[in-house]
Amino acid sequence: MRRVLLPHHISDEAAPPGAVARHFSGLSMGTSWTVHLLENANSGRAGKVDLQQGLQQQLDLVVAQMSHWSEDSDLGRFNRAEPGSWHSLPAAFCEVLAFAMHVAHVSGGAYDPCAGALVNLWGFGSRQRYEQPGFQSPTPETVAFLLSQQGRRRLALDLPARRVRQPGGLLLDLSAVAKGYGVDRLARYLDSQGIRHYLLEVGGELRGAGSKPDGQPWWVMLEQVDGVADTMPQPPEMLLALHGLSVATSGDYRRFFQDGATRVSHTIDPRSGMPISNQLASVTVVHAECMAADAWSTALTVLGPEAGLALAEEQGLAARFLQRDGDGLRETLSSQMLAMLDE
């Protein structure tokens, strides 16, 4: 059995008559991206290459400003900056960091873009990664010491002046929001080109607008949990009409390593400094903006099934929680997600 999720608002703008379906793809942020779109055959555009370049440039900008893998990015330079120094931020970087800090505040620190040092400590950063020879999980004492250091490293963000202060040793990590923002940039670019019907995907984060040539919406399947035995029942599949919506999923099965009998998730709770162990297998968030879906899915995952659901209700988020429960997965939907079900 499949269930269907529908948007609350549906545009009556139909695909242009004789629209041409086009497909674009490339690489960015250590993953792949794809774009499916409909374009008026008489648009007068120079050609497919122009759109390919324009789309790639949107993601290249995100990497140049916000990559924690590149020392030459704006983020990389900030992370190495002298204590007490102020840094002007490009507009995109400032927009993303401001939203990330908002989610950090509302979630009580369950999501924190300033937790890059903790991510690195657990081997999920750009250096000394968990899959490299000689890596060992940090001791509780090491984690506690780093948390004590981070408590004294407060980020000062001056939004009107679009600048940020490096307190010394603070490492920003926007990986839980940058992909979603990249998807949003692709959407903005296509909108600026007069293209209103598209399906976008960057590393599993998606956003859709308009419809397909047959008038159907862009149907996508909500991500199921990988690595589950065939004998372990999962909730029925769920289809989403990605029409004016974005969707992102955070899951403990995506990146992890085994430390003896312990499964170490890549999702770190910035409050404790430890990988999550709340039995949540995944959290999916549906939102108008992919950046928001991306960040909130991470925050809700860290909070866990009860506190995460409470925050989703408080913020009016459409969220789906899949929790490991004995020999199966238990599903919980926020009221906003339940309201989207076509029953």
Side-chain angles (χ1 to χ4, degrees):
M1 180 183 72
R2 286 181 175 177
R3 295 164 296 166
V4 173
L5 294 168
L6 298 177
H8 297 304
H9 304 287
I10 299 177
S11 169
D12 57 4
E13 182 180 0
V20 177
R22 291 182 170 172
H23 170 79
F24 302 87
S25 62
L27 301 175
S28 185
M29 306 184 209
T31 187
S32 61
W33 63 266
T34 59
V35 171
H36 300 272
L37 60 84
L38 301 183
E39 186 177 21
N40 192 323
N42 301 316
S43 64
R45 188 179 309 283
K48 182 176 179 179
V49 174
D50 290 342
L51 276 179
Q52 175 75 32
Q53 291 177 345
L55 291 164
Q56 186 67 57
Q57 286 169 359
Q58 304 309 307
L59 299 177
D60 289 347
L61 179 144
V62 178
V63 172
Q65 294 187 16
M66 296 170 243
S67 173
H68 66 284
W69 293 83
S70 171
E71 293 188 352
D72 295 328
S73 69
D74 292 291
L75 183 148
R77 287 191 289 270
F78 172 81
N79 283 350
R80 302 193 314 276
E82 293 294 321
S85 57
W86 283 92
H87 302 266
S88 297
L89 295 179
F93 190 169
C94 188
E95 177 186 356
V96 173
L97 182 57
F99 181 75
M101 294 300 292
H102 165 72
V103 175
H105 173 71
V106 173
S107 68
Y111 166 69
D112 188 355
C114 303
L118 280 171
V119 175
N120 291 345
L121 186 67
W122 283 98
F124 295 106
S126 59
R127 298 177 180 175
Q128 298 179 327
R129 291 182 57 80
Y130 65 90
E131 70 265 52
Q132 294 177 343
F135 173 81
Q136 291 184 339
S137 297
T139 64
E141 292 76 17
T142 302
V143 172
F145 175 76
L146 184 54
L147 282 176
S148 69
Q149 294 295 305
Q150 289 202 164
R152 296 192 289 269
R153 295 168 179 165
R154 298 297 182 184
L155 185 76
L157 180 59
D158 183 352
L159 285 177
R162 217 169 68 193
R163 63 176 190 155
V164 65
R165 180 180 180 274
Q166 169 61 268
L170 186 148
L171 301 183
L172 288 175
D173 183 342
L174 297 174
S175 57
V177 69
K179 276 196 304 180
Y181 177 74
V183 173
D184 291 335
R185 280 200 71 90
L186 295 180
R188 293 179 194 177
Y189 172 71
L190 292 179
D191 289 343
S192 74
Q193 301 300 304
I195 297 171
R196 300 288 185 264
H197 303 266
Y198 49 75
L199 176 65
L200 317 173
E201 184 264 340
V202 179
E205 322 292 31
L206 299 112
R207 177 168 172 164
S211 59
K212 298 189 290 186
D214 60 2
Q216 284 288 313
W218 305 97
W219 291 105
V220 299
M221 187 84 67
L222 293 198
E223 192 170 312
Q224 295 289 88
V225 177
D226 290 340
V228 176
D230 293 338
T231 56
M232 178 181 287
Q234 292 206 42
E237 294 175 334
M238 190 175 284
L239 281 173
L240 168 65
L242 208 58
H243 177 89
L245 294 172
S246 302
V247 61
T249 297
S250 177
D252 71 352
Y253 53 87
R254 285 186 164 183
R255 293 195 306 279
F256 65 92
F257 65 87
Q258 291 291 142
D259 186 2
T262 303
R263 179 191 183 99
V264 180
S265 169
H266 78 284
T267 303
I268 310 299
D269 185 340
R271 302 166 301 178
S272 67
M274 302 297 291
I276 60 169
S277 57
N278 54 29
Q279 300 305 308
L280 270 182
S282 74
V283 176
T284 297
V285 173
V286 179
H287 197 281
E289 301 290 327
C290 199
M291 174 173 67
D294 202 1
W296 283 120
S297 66
T298 299
L300 299 183
T301 298
V302 172
L303 285 170
E306 295 182 1
L309 178 62
L311 184 61
E313 299 291 2
E314 176 188 306
Q315 295 296 311
L317 299 172
R320 179 200 197 204
F321 299 79
L322 292 181
Q323 183 180 0
R324 301 181 191 278
D325 184 16
D327 294 330
L329 293 172
R330 178 154 49 92
E331 178 187 74
T332 304
L333 305 180
S334 70
S335 58
Q336 283 292 321
M337 188 73 96
L338 282 169
M340 295 176 66
L341 275 176
D342 181 35
E343 296 181 324

